[in-house]
Every structure is written in C-alpha cells, then in structure tokens.
Amino acid sequence: MPAQFSNRRKISAKAPPKLSKKQSSKKSIQLQPEDAQIFRGLVFYFLPNNDIAAPRRKRIEKAQEYGALWAREWSADVTHVIVDANLRMSDVEKAIGSDQLKPRHVIVNEKYPPDCIEYQVLLPTHLLKFQVFPGPRRGPEAEGQQPREKSPKAPSEHFNRSKIFATAGAAAKPDNEQEEPAVVTHEPASFAAVEGFGPSITTKKGENEDDELDRIVAEVQATADLPLELEDDSLEPSSSTTASDSEDGQLTRMQEKKHKRSISDVVDPQLGFSCMRKNEGTSKSKNPNLRTIEMLDKMAHYYDRIGDRWRTISYRKAITALKRQTDYIATREQAIGIPGIGERLASKVEEIACTNKLRRLESTVTDPNDPILLLFMGIYQVGLPTASRWIAQGHQSLEDLKSKADLTPNQRIGLDHYDDFLSRIPRSEVMAHADIVRRACSNADAQIQLVVGGSCRRGSADCGDIDLIITKESASLEQIRTILVDTVIPQLFQDGFLQVGLATSRSRSTDRGSKWHGASALPGSQVWRRIDLLFVPWDEFGAALIYFTGNDIFNRSIRLLASRKKMRLNQHGLYGDIMRGEKRERITQGRLLEGRSEERIFEILGLQTQHHLPGGASIRIMAYMGISLESVILGKLVAGAIPRCIALSTIQKRDVVFHICEIDLATEAATAAKNQTTSKWSKGTDQPGLSPHN
DNA sequence: AGGCCGTACTG
DNA sequence: CAGTACG
DNA sequence: GCCT
C-alpha cells in the first residue's frame, strides 16, 4: 500500500506543479469511501489527456473519485489508457508512440470507467464494449486486417440480426484461414442458387452477408451427404443406429471448429484486440452464452414460480434466442439487436457478461417459502396454485406432503418418483425406450410408424421425457388408438416396460383420445421415465410432427403467425378462413388446408421453400427452432439469416432432424397482418398458399 | 395500452 | 369449471 | 418481460 501511494505521489510530482495543485485544490475531488475505490492503485491516461471537454472532465473526475490517479503526462506508471470514443488505435499510437505502448498497458474506451463504477468492480478490460477499434475510420473496411468474425460486429451497431447464423460459418472459416478442410469449398456462385432463401434476402443485404451465406451454403454442399436426406423427412423409421453415431459426429466437428476458432482467437496486442470468446473448455464446446442463459433461466423459473406468466415467456424467448447465438453476447447493443431481447433484458445480459452476476436474481431469493415452492412445483401435476395452497396449509417438505397432504393419484406418483421425473434422460436411453415401443408396435401391426419427437428430434443430447409420435399410413385415429390401447400398451405393461398410466384419456370421451402419458423403465432399471405417446391419424401427421417437435416457444410463435394470417395451426392441421372476433377469439372453425405434410404446412405459412444447390443437390428449408447450433453444425444444416426473416433448414441426418430458425416469427406475424394478400413470402414457391381466402 | 397458442386430460 | 400438461 |  504505502509503495503504491508513493507511486502516486511520484506521478503527481512529475506533473507540472501548477496543475497538480490545481487538481487538488480547484477540483477538490470528493473521494468515495475507501472500499468503493475500485480504481485505487491505477493510473489513467486519457486521450485526449485533458479536461477541457466537459464530458471528459466529468469522466476524469469520476474516475478520480473512485481512486484512479490521473497521469497528466505519459509516464511509465500509466496502467490504463482511456480513449475517447471517436478515436482509433491509430490515433492512440500517434499520440503516445508505438514504442511507448507496452503490452501491459490496458487500452480501453471511455465507457470503461463508468461501467466499472456502475458495477462496483474492475471489469475485464477485454470486453468488446471497451475496445478501441483499429483503423482510421469506422466501417467494414477495417475488416481486411482482422479475422472476419471480429470486425463486422465491432464497429456497427446493427450488425446483429443478420449475422446470427452467418457467424456459424464465419467461426468455422475465418478469412485468414488456410487449414480449412479441403472439402469445404468457398464457392461464391453458390449463393445464387439459394436466392430464394428467405423472402427478404434482397431487401437489406448487408455487405457481408453474401459471403457469409456463400460460406454457409458452401459448407452445406461440402458436408453434404445431403442428397440422401432429401427424400422423405420424418418418417424415418430406424433410429437404432444413431445415438452414439450422431454424438460422435458432433464431437468431431466441434473439435474441428474449435481448432479453427483458436486461430482467429489470437490476440493482436498491437491493436488492442482480443477475442472475447475464450472458448477454452477443450472438452466440449458449449454455447458461449451458457452462463448468461443459466442466469436468465433462473430468472425465468423465478417468475414462473411467482406466477408471472408473461415475464416467464419473455425470458424463455430470450433464452431460446441466445442459444442460437454463436458469438458471445456481451453488450447491450449486441443483445438488443436480437429479436426477443429488449432493453431490459439486454441490460441484464450485459450485466451478466461483465460481472458474472445478476443483482436482480440475488434479490429474489429472499422469500423463505421460495425454495419450498420450487420443491413442490417440481412434482408432476403440481403447479403454482397447488404448491401455494400446500404451503399455506403448512406443508414444508415432500415428507409432509406424502403423509399429510391431499394428493391426487397422479400427484402421488409424481411425488414417489420426484427425482426420476426431474432427471434428464440421455439421448441414447430415449432411443432405447423408443425401440422397445417400436418393436411392440410392429408386433401388433407391421405398418405402424413411430417417430421420436420432442427435444430429441431437435437434436438434444438429453431430454426431459420421451415423446413418441405414432401413426400408420392411411389409418384413422380410432384404428391407431385401438391397436395401441388394446394391444401394444397392455403388452408393454406385461413386459414390465410401462409402469403406470398418468393421462390416458380413459374416463372421458373414450372417443377422441389421442394421447397416452405414463411412465416407463428400461429392463433392469429402477428409474421411471416420463413417456408421452401421441396417436396420430395419417392425415394429421405433418401437423403432429410440428407440434410434437416444438419447442413450445416455436409452436406458439408459428401458431401466432398463422392466426395473423387468418389461419389456425394446431396438432391436427393448418386451417384457413378463420374468422376471429374481439380478442382474437375464434369464431369459425375454418377449413382444413393441410395436415399430412409437415413441409406443406410450412410452405403455406410462407416458412419453407426448396432450394437447389449447385451440383444438383437440393435442400429443404423449414422453419423450426430450438435447435442447438452444435446440432446444426454437426448436422450440416444451414440457414441463411436475413434481417427480420429467417431461413432455416432441416435435414434429416441419421434419424435426427435438425432445424434452425432464424426467422423472427413475431415480426413476420406483424407483417403478415399488414399485407395478408401480398405474397412477398413465397418467392421461392409457386404455390404461396398465402391467400387465406381463396 | 394491451396481446402474448391451441389443445387434451383430470377431478 | 380450474388446474395441469404437451410441444 | 417483448412487441406493436
């Protein structure tokens, strides 16, 4: 301490005495309490290094209040160079001299001190938001110098939306990259072939987007075992091979990606650039925003358990959006460009990125009943009202509930298997359950088809439950249900596979039952898994696939989109000619437009087109979301992203369907509401299916 | 200011 | 009907 | 919470 102090004095002494005096007398800096002096021991050199301009003077004073020392002249003691926003690295070098600038000097922009003060902590200096940009002028030109994934986002404010996907390609293939696998060819011409990609692709094409899309498309081609998947989607029966298969593939590709990325991550000290993403994990590459996502997820759970439905949804939307980002989102500006993230969430994202904490979250844990509420709501068939009621009745633990509370039969089962039902199911086990059911189905009727849905179909490595779609060509619901309920399910019980039925449409309308929820366990396992069967008439297969593939956020979005287009989408089909009243309440049932073809439904909604790639391959693009980017990359799926629109693709690789969705469905919905008759959409389609009133 | 998916099962 | 659930 |  004393040493540092003398250090300061020394610097002061170096400064012209007058100024020194001036500083102490005239300014009379009001030092903050010691423990608030986050800058203590630091020596700031501002650029320009004067306090003539009022804003800068303000910043300097503020920094001093928090313990920083202002070096009036350049000195060896300077620790931080605080650069005005309008200056570039070239200006810094000019002003200070390249020979004087040492790697130990921290060069940050003017936002650094106030941000540190706000969060009351010394923030990491390498964050993007604090960077001083290279090059004489703002703009994309600066790009030539930098690995491409850094530069485009740095200078511009509105880079984000369109880049979401592109970054996947960019990360995989930086410009200065030579060790790209030979298979991936950069083929500029390819883009033309997918022109129809998204509706508005031509509208607002940023300067970089062409090549980014090129890159992506090139990768698709290159990685393409594409042709084989194009045949028929979804009814892919054999899932047996896959689990480990796909994971291996994923691993491999991720390693490649990581390796490449490390090249572009190299810090260029001279330019004060360091890549923000220290995706070090070496083991598995995770979403760079994982930490942020975790925190927001906790917030979502918090709002869920206090019954704030809409906030919960907003947080979950934001999480879904963040999961698709390949870049670390560290700043408000970055975050706010993402659909579904507004000002308030953007601030939280930034706070998490900077401080690794969320103050709002910490302030939520105060209610003593909160952990209990959380505990109770973890029980299958227990929501907020029931959990609250139990707490009000004085129950404090699961044991209390078991012995004293009034439980429905299903709730008791949920209680007895509390841990089972909350634990994640490895993908391989999901497949194992599916295989057992599939086999039983085949024994009953060889023509039955079974598709694994849910997060598994979206490519997740583990799932919360097992979702199985069961159908049969040309069959009605009654036929399928009969086979299952009368034959397959009893057999599976007898086999000891099924453990219990939870929601089986038994008591009510014996008629229209379409789902069977229950629990199953693999032979030799004590762990019960939640398993959901969906009985689907052949004519509704496509709609059911969309529904059961999800995720829920996506389903709500696409259904909202449909409603804006005077249509209605549910698990049975897509209907047109819907009339709605006051609050969008439905007045007419509408007429069925499509139910059997998943693809056709997307098409009618304007969310899907077919694209022909150079070389004769083609890919189908569908709108889905909730797919992890890793899945996408390993699945060789790709999409181009366009502002306010999406394009997305699904391709069935092995038995996994990979989907991507970059469309901002909400925005599309709004647009749709305006020009319902315009078919700006179906650029790549001949049958827009748009006009709801044919 | 006001909407924010559409449905199935249980009691 | 409310509650819970499904994606 | 976000969006119109």
Side-chain angles (χ1 to χ4, degrees), chain A residues 577-609:
Chain A
D577 301 329
I578 302 290
M579 299 177 50
R580 295 183 132 91
E582 312 274 305
K583 279 179 64 267
R584 279 186 59 260
E585 64 175 313
R586 183 162 39 85
I587 295 177
T588 60
Q589 286 285 300
R591 98 196 131 80
L592 178 66
L593 297 177
E594 180 61 51
R596 189 175 312 181
S597 164
E598 183 182 32
E599 185 176 352
R600 176 68 184 145
I601 290 172
F602 284 128
E603 195 177 299
I604 295 172
L605 286 171
L607 296 177
Q608 189 273 346
T609 54

Side-chain angles (χ1 to χ4, degrees), chain A residues 162-206:
Chain A
S162 56
K163 225 183 137 300
I164 292 169
F165 256 110
T167 51
K173 189 175 188 261
D175 273 350
N176 57 352
E177 165 78 354
Q178 340 73 318
E179 44 187 286
E180 189 75 323
V183 284
V184 179
T185 60
H186 194 267
E187 164 69 54
S190 61
F191 181 68
V194 279
E195 256 294 334
F197 224 53
S200 57
I201 189 134
T202 54
T203 315
K204 196 184 160 192
K205 189 160 22 180

Side-chain angles (χ1 to χ4, degrees), chain A residues 202-219:
Chain A
T202 54
T203 315
K204 196 184 160 192
K205 189 160 22 180
E207 53 283 2
N208 301 322
E209 288 172 12
D210 287 288
D211 12 338
E212 308 250 19
L213 280 169
D214 275 349
R215 192 180 304 270
I216 285 166
V217 171
E219 177 145 353

Side-chain angles (χ1 to χ4, degrees), chain A residues 294-494:
Chain A
E294 283 172 358
M295 308 281 283
L296 295 184
D297 192 51
K298 286 181 187 172
M299 287 298 296
H301 278 93
Y302 166 72
Y303 282 121
D304 183 39
R305 96 200 109 155
I306 68 173
D308 192 334
R309 187 141 81 109
W310 301 116
R311 266 191 187 80
T312 306
I313 287 176
S314 285
Y315 273 85
R316 295 202 46 231
K317 276 182 182 169
I319 288 168
T320 301
L322 267 181
K323 280 183 178 168
R324 296 198 310 267
Q325 305 298 318
T326 51
D327 287 351
Y328 184 46
I329 307 300
T331 71
R332 275 178 58 89
E333 289 71 29
Q334 246 177 318
I336 214 160
I338 300 171
I341 298 184
E343 285 185 26
R344 322 240 302 160
L345 271 165
S347 294
K348 289 185 172 65
V349 167
E350 183 172 288
E351 182 182 339
I352 294 167
C354 291
T355 68
N356 208 25
K357 294 194 295 195
L358 222 195
R359 290 164 295 182
R360 179 68 182 86
L361 183 59
E362 287 161 13
S363 68
T364 63
V365 202
T366 55
D367 184 352
N369 282 330
D370 214 80
I372 305 177
L373 206 56
L374 194 61
L375 181 75
F376 288 178
M377 288 174 70
I379 303 169
Y380 176 75
Q381 278 279 304
V382 176
L384 181 60
T386 304
S388 305
R389 198 174 62 241
W390 285 341
I391 289 178
Q393 291 165 0
H395 301 298
Q396 299 274 318
S397 66
L398 297 185
E399 286 68 32
D400 285 351
L401 297 180
K402 278 187 194 179
S403 53
K404 298 183 260 179
D406 182 34
L407 301 171
T408 69
N410 284 350
Q411 285 165 345
R412 188 161 293 282
I413 294 167
L415 197 48
D416 290 340
H417 296 270
Y418 188 88
D419 294 323
D420 285 359
F421 289 170
L422 280 185
S423 62
R424 303 292 295 178
I425 311 170
R427 184 183 183 75
S428 56
E429 185 180 335
V430 173
M431 293 307 183
H433 285 250
D435 285 341
I436 289 173
V437 177
R438 183 179 289 115
R439 172 163 314 192
C441 287
S442 299
N443 289 339
D445 185 325
Q447 295 189 68
I448 286 197
Q449 300 186 32
L450 184 150
V451 176
V452 183
S455 55
C456 189
R457 187 167 189 247
R458 300 198 304 268
S460 296
D462 51 65
C463 312
D465 64 6
I466 299 149
D467 301 307
L468 305 178
I469 302 167
I470 296 167
T471 188
K472 174 187 171 183
E473 191 162 346
S474 303
S476 68
L477 173 61
E478 289 70 25
Q479 292 171 322
I480 292 161
R481 187 185 49 233
T482 300
I483 297 170
L484 268 290
V485 170
D486 293 354
T487 309
V488 177
I489 289 174
Q491 182 61 50
L492 287 171
F493 267 114
Q494 197 172 325

Side-chain angles (χ1 to χ4, degrees), chain A residues 120-142:
Chain A
Q120 272 298 293
V121 64
L122 272 186
L123 296 167
T125 55
H126 65 274
L127 297 178
L128 179 62
K129 55 187 298 203
F130 303 138
Q131 283 176 8
V132 176
F133 297 115
R137 294 190 59 80
R138 299 172 79 99
E141 310 83 85

